[in-house]
Amino acid sequence: MFNAQTLELLISSFPKILVYGLKVSLPLALTAFVLSTFIAVLVATVQYAEVPVFRQICRFYIWIIRGTPLLVQLMVAFYGLPLFGINANPFLVAIIVFSICEGAYSAETMRAAMEAVPAGQLEAGYCVGMSYIQIMWHIILPQAFRTAFPSLFNALISMVKDTSLASSITVVEMFTRTKQIAGQSYNYFPLYIEVAAIYLIFCTVLTFVQKRGEKRLGNYGIRK
Amino acid sequence: MTLLEISNLKKSFDNNEVLKGIDLKVNKGDVVSILGPSGSGKTTLLRCINFLEKPDGGHLSFEGKEYDLSKISKSDISSIRKDTGFVFQGYNLFANKNVLENVTLGLTSARHVPKKQADEKALEVLKKVGMDGYKDYYPSQLSGGQQQRVAIARALATDPGIIYFDEPTSALDPELTSEVLEVMRELASEGMTMIVVTHEMGFAKEVSSHVVFMADGRVIEEGNSKEFFDDPKEERTREFLRLTEH
């Protein structure tokens, strides 16, 4: 199986696969990660602040999203949006669905991290004359973000691999491109090992970035 | 000159009436110690007058303005808080901010004081509590006594008309307790108006001008410190003083 021909195939296909990773899979995951983090902070804050009505809406959103598979959500959006006259391109649909999906999970991570900040700091903020929003911005959110950071990064790493699901709505990403090349060469196994290795490289780099990020964020003088 | 006066302050948690109509008057420059057994409502009283708990009813007069505590507005609460300081039993320093930022945040964010000016003010009050050498430390790197002194500096930075202390030394060992009490003693001698919920009989006796003794949600007895300790009128007070004597 591992003959010269296979080796040649692996070498020639490597850049072709990689380029789809760099052009499609990674941008999809990273963009969705940034958007989902915004959603998460917003949804978590609404719940933490116990904003009436909006809080129920947030619980409903989390309930729906966490209760249905990402693959199904992609399909629903892809086939549903045109019914409302919206003809977005599949890559855009994927970004939106990934963001909304990841946002629900990360919102729970953020909420837990916000609730982990001792309530006494909120009271102390009030006592020096700060408003709720100022306390959120200067005290609660920075600490919560630090606590949530490893979990949020976990979600990003998970999402990099889940981008392969976007193939189900015709997005040609790294995995789909691999399938195409494999189909042309009838040599499936080595190519799937190759794409697995590329995912692994991406995630290794991200793990490294996470470590650097944690160091950079610091730990407010707490020694580990 | 009367700085703060509360009358008939009431507070219940569910069906448990914790404050059954408290009256208290504090003049400018007074150091008032609130004594009493656990569960008597001392801390709740302090938290109610800074609205960390919502009072059910009563009347407050603060710096010449009158407030109905049952329907006080958010903006009134915020303006009262801007002229009061609060020191907690558990310090409650901002864990993500260093010592200097802990002290300046009330100035820069809540009062829009320029950073340079706020830093100067912070260093001045940190010096007063003997913590100016620790401005870059984080709370987690300090001892309890040091954290509490920073918390006092944070309360001082905004030049409040009065500072409330809620059992400021209860979480500290005797050595650290004395370093915090020393700072409070100095503030008192400079004429700072303070209400101190405390179990430190020595402090109440020597430093405070006025003592309020509470039990079961009521003020049982109050008076100037010397009279209170030398000649308590109520049996409940005498019993308390007997038990805390050593």
Coordinates of all heavy atoms in Angstrom, one line a residue, chain A residues 115-157:
Chain A
E115 N -20.3 33.9 37.6 CA -20.8 33.6 38.9 C -19.7 33.2 39.9 O -19.9 33.2 41.1 CB -21.9 32.5 38.8 CG -23.2 33.0 38.2 CD -24.2 32.0 37.8 OE1 -23.9 30.8 37.9 OE2 -25.3 32.4 37.3
A116 N -18.6 32.8 39.3 CA -17.4 32.4 40.2 C -16.7 33.6 40.8 O -15.9 33.4 41.7 CB -16.5 31.5 39.4
V117 N -16.9 34.8 40.2 CA -16.3 36.0 40.8 C -17.0 36.3 42.1 O -18.3 36.4 42.1 CB -16.4 37.2 39.9 CG1 -15.8 38.4 40.5 CG2 -15.7 36.9 38.6
P118 N -16.3 36.4 43.3 CA -17.0 36.6 44.5 C -17.9 37.8 44.5 O -17.5 38.9 44.1 CB -15.9 36.8 45.5 CG -14.7 36.0 44.9 CD -14.9 36.2 43.4
A119 N -19.2 37.6 45.0 CA -20.1 38.7 45.0 C -19.7 39.9 45.8 O -20.1 41.1 45.5 CB -21.5 38.2 45.5
G120 N -18.8 39.7 46.7 CA -18.2 40.8 47.5 C -17.6 41.9 46.7 O -17.6 43.1 47.0
Q121 N -17.0 41.5 45.6 CA -16.3 42.4 44.7 C -17.3 43.3 44.0 O -17.0 44.5 43.7 CB -15.4 41.7 43.7 CG -14.2 41.0 44.4 CD -13.3 40.4 43.3 OE1 -13.0 41.0 42.3 NE2 -12.8 39.3 43.7
L122 N -18.5 42.8 43.7 CA -19.6 43.6 43.1 C -20.0 44.6 44.1 O -20.1 45.8 43.8 CB -20.7 42.7 42.7 CG -21.9 43.3 42.0 CD1 -21.6 43.5 40.6 CD2 -23.1 42.3 42.1
E123 N -20.2 44.2 45.4 CA -20.6 45.1 46.5 C -19.5 46.2 46.7 O -19.9 47.4 46.9 CB -20.8 44.3 47.8 CG -22.0 43.4 47.7 CD -22.3 42.7 49.0 OE1 -21.4 42.8 49.9 OE2 -23.4 42.2 49.2
A124 N -18.3 45.8 46.7 CA -17.2 46.7 46.9 C -17.2 47.8 45.8 O -16.9 49.0 46.0 CB -15.8 46.0 46.9
G125 N -17.5 47.3 44.5 CA -17.6 48.3 43.4 C -18.7 49.3 43.6 O -18.5 50.5 43.4
Y126 N -19.9 48.8 44.1 CA -20.9 49.8 44.4 C -20.5 50.8 45.4 O -20.8 51.9 45.4 CB -22.2 49.0 44.9 CG -23.0 48.3 43.9 CD1 -23.5 47.0 44.1 CD2 -23.4 49.0 42.7 CE1 -24.2 46.4 43.2 CE2 -24.1 48.3 41.8 CZ -24.6 47.0 42.0 OH -25.4 46.4 41.1
C127 N -19.8 50.3 46.4 CA -19.4 51.1 47.6 C -18.4 52.2 47.2 O -18.3 53.2 47.9 CB -18.9 50.3 48.7 SG -20.2 49.4 49.6
V128 N -17.6 52.0 46.1 CA -16.7 53.1 45.7 C -17.4 54.0 44.7 O -16.8 54.8 44.1 CB -15.3 52.6 45.2 CG1 -14.6 51.9 46.3 CG2 -15.5 51.7 44.0
G129 N -18.7 53.7 44.5 CA -19.5 54.6 43.6 C -19.6 54.2 42.2 O -20.1 54.9 41.4
M130 N -19.1 53.0 41.9 CA -19.2 52.5 40.5 C -20.6 52.1 40.1 O -21.4 51.6 41.0 CB -18.2 51.4 40.2 CG -16.8 51.8 40.4 SD -15.6 50.4 40.5 CE -15.6 49.8 38.8
S131 N -21.0 52.2 38.8 CA -22.3 51.7 38.4 C -22.1 50.2 38.0 O -21.0 49.7 37.9 CB -22.7 52.5 37.1 OG -21.8 52.2 36.0
Y132 N -23.3 49.6 37.8 CA -23.3 48.2 37.5 C -22.4 47.9 36.2 O -21.6 47.0 36.2 CB -24.7 47.7 37.3 CG -24.9 46.2 37.1 CD1 -24.9 45.4 38.2 CD2 -25.0 45.6 35.8 CE1 -25.0 44.0 38.1 CE2 -25.1 44.3 35.7 CZ -25.1 43.5 36.8 OH -25.2 42.1 36.7
I133 N -22.6 48.7 35.2 CA -21.9 48.5 34.0 C -20.4 48.7 34.1 O -19.6 47.9 33.6 CB -22.5 49.5 32.9 CG1 -23.9 49.1 32.5 CG2 -21.6 49.5 31.6 CD1 -24.6 50.0 31.6
Q134 N -20.0 49.7 34.9 CA -18.6 49.9 35.2 C -18.0 48.7 36.0 O -16.9 48.3 35.7 CB -18.4 51.2 36.0 CG -18.6 52.5 35.2 CD -18.7 53.7 36.1 OE1 -19.0 53.6 37.3 NE2 -18.5 54.9 35.5
I135 N -18.8 48.2 36.9 CA -18.3 47.0 37.7 C -18.1 45.8 36.7 O -17.1 45.1 36.8 CB -19.2 46.7 38.8 CG1 -19.3 47.9 39.8 CG2 -18.8 45.4 39.6 CD1 -20.4 47.7 40.9
M136 N -19.1 45.6 35.9 CA -19.0 44.5 34.9 C -17.8 44.7 34.1 O -17.0 43.7 33.9 CB -20.2 44.7 33.9 CG -21.5 44.0 34.4 SD -21.2 42.3 34.5 CE -22.2 41.8 35.8
W137 N -17.6 45.9 33.5 CA -16.5 46.1 32.6 C -15.1 46.0 33.2 O -14.2 45.4 32.6 CB -16.7 47.5 31.9 CG -15.7 47.8 30.9 CD1 -14.7 48.7 30.9 CD2 -15.6 47.1 29.6 NE1 -13.9 48.6 29.8 CE2 -14.5 47.7 28.9 CE3 -16.3 46.1 28.9 CZ2 -14.1 47.3 27.7 CZ3 -15.9 45.7 27.7 CH2 -14.8 46.3 27.0
H138 N -15.0 46.5 34.4 CA -13.6 46.6 35.0 C -13.3 45.4 35.9 O -12.2 45.0 36.1 CB -13.5 47.8 35.9 CG -13.4 49.1 35.1 ND1 -12.3 49.5 34.3 CD2 -14.3 50.1 34.9 CE1 -12.6 50.6 33.7 NE2 -13.8 51.0 34.0
I139 N -14.4 44.8 36.5 CA -14.1 43.8 37.5 C -14.6 42.4 37.1 O -13.8 41.4 37.1 CB -14.8 44.2 38.9 CG1 -14.6 45.6 39.2 CG2 -14.5 43.2 40.0 CD1 -13.1 45.9 39.6
I140 N -15.9 42.3 36.9 CA -16.5 40.9 36.7 C -16.0 40.3 35.4 O -15.5 39.2 35.4 CB -18.0 41.0 36.7 CG1 -18.5 41.7 38.0 CG2 -18.6 39.6 36.7 CD1 -18.3 41.0 39.3
L141 N -16.2 41.0 34.2 CA -15.9 40.4 32.9 C -14.4 40.0 32.8 O -14.1 38.9 32.3 CB -16.4 41.3 31.8 CG -17.9 41.2 31.6 CD1 -18.4 42.2 30.5 CD2 -18.4 39.8 31.2
P142 N -13.5 40.9 33.2 CA -12.1 40.5 33.0 C -11.7 39.2 33.8 O -11.1 38.3 33.3 CB -11.3 41.7 33.5 CG -12.2 42.8 33.5 CD -13.6 42.3 33.6
Q143 N -12.3 39.1 35.0 CA -12.0 37.9 35.8 C -12.7 36.7 35.2 O -12.1 35.6 35.2 CB -12.4 38.1 37.2 CG -11.5 39.1 38.0 CD -11.9 39.2 39.4 OE1 -11.9 38.2 40.2 NE2 -12.3 40.4 39.8
A144 N -13.9 36.9 34.8 CA -14.7 35.8 34.2 C -14.0 35.3 32.9 O -13.9 34.1 32.7 CB -16.1 36.2 33.9
F145 N -13.5 36.3 32.1 CA -12.9 35.9 30.9 C -11.6 35.1 31.1 O -11.4 34.1 30.4 CB -12.6 37.2 30.0 CG -12.2 36.9 28.6 CD1 -13.2 36.5 27.7 CD2 -10.9 36.9 28.2 CE1 -12.9 36.1 26.4 CE2 -10.6 36.6 26.9 CZ -11.5 36.2 26.0
R146 N -10.9 35.5 32.1 CA -9.7 34.8 32.5 C -10.0 33.3 32.9 O -9.3 32.4 32.5 CB -8.9 35.5 33.6 CG -7.7 34.7 34.1 CD -6.6 34.6 33.0 NE -5.5 33.7 33.3 CZ -5.6 32.4 33.1 NH1 -6.6 31.9 32.6 NH2 -4.5 31.7 33.4
T147 N -11.1 33.2 33.7 CA -11.5 31.8 34.1 C -12.0 31.0 32.9 O -11.7 29.8 32.8 CB -12.6 32.0 35.2 OG1 -12.2 32.8 36.2 CG2 -12.9 30.6 35.8
A148 N -12.7 31.7 32.1 CA -13.4 30.9 31.0 C -12.4 30.6 29.8 O -12.7 29.8 29.0 CB -14.6 31.7 30.4
F149 N -11.3 31.3 29.8 CA -10.4 31.3 28.6 C -10.0 29.9 28.2 O -10.2 29.5 27.0 CB -9.1 32.1 28.9 CG -8.2 32.2 27.7 CD1 -8.5 33.0 26.6 CD2 -7.1 31.4 27.7 CE1 -7.6 33.1 25.5 CE2 -6.2 31.5 26.6 CZ -6.5 32.3 25.5
P150 N -9.6 29.0 29.1 CA -9.2 27.6 28.6 C -10.4 26.9 28.1 O -10.3 26.2 27.1 CB -8.7 27.0 29.9 CG -8.3 28.1 30.8 CD -9.2 29.2 30.5
S151 N -11.6 27.1 28.7 CA -12.8 26.4 28.2 C -13.2 26.9 26.8 O -13.7 26.2 25.9 CB -14.0 26.5 29.1 OG -13.6 26.0 30.4
L152 N -13.1 28.2 26.6 CA -13.5 28.8 25.4 C -12.5 28.3 24.3 O -12.9 28.1 23.2 CB -13.4 30.4 25.4 CG -14.4 31.1 26.4 CD1 -14.2 32.6 26.4 CD2 -15.8 30.8 25.9
F153 N -11.3 28.2 24.6 CA -10.3 27.7 23.6 C -10.5 26.3 23.3 O -10.3 25.8 22.2 CB -8.9 27.9 24.2 CG -8.0 28.6 23.2 CD1 -8.0 30.0 23.2 CD2 -7.2 28.0 22.3 CE1 -7.2 30.7 22.3 CE2 -6.5 28.6 21.4 CZ -6.4 30.0 21.4
N154 N -11.0 25.5 24.3 CA -11.4 24.1 24.1 C -12.4 24.1 23.0 O -12.4 23.2 22.1 CB -12.0 23.7 25.4 CG -11.6 22.3 25.8 OD1 -10.9 21.6 25.0 ND2 -12.2 21.8 26.9
A155 N -13.4 25.0 23.1 CA -14.5 25.1 22.1 C -14.0 25.4 20.7 O -14.4 24.8 19.7 CB -15.5 26.1 22.6
L156 N -13.0 26.3 20.7 CA -12.4 26.6 19.4 C -11.7 25.4 18.7 O -11.9 25.1 17.6 CB -11.4 27.8 19.6 CG -10.5 28.1 18.3 CD1 -11.3 28.5 17.2 CD2 -9.5 29.2 18.7
I157 N -11.0 24.7 19.6 CA -10.3 23.5 19.0 C -11.3 22.5 18.5 O -11.1 21.9 17.5 CB -9.3 22.9 20.1 CG1 -8.1 23.9 20.3 CG2 -8.9 21.5 19.8 CD1 -7.2 23.5 21.4

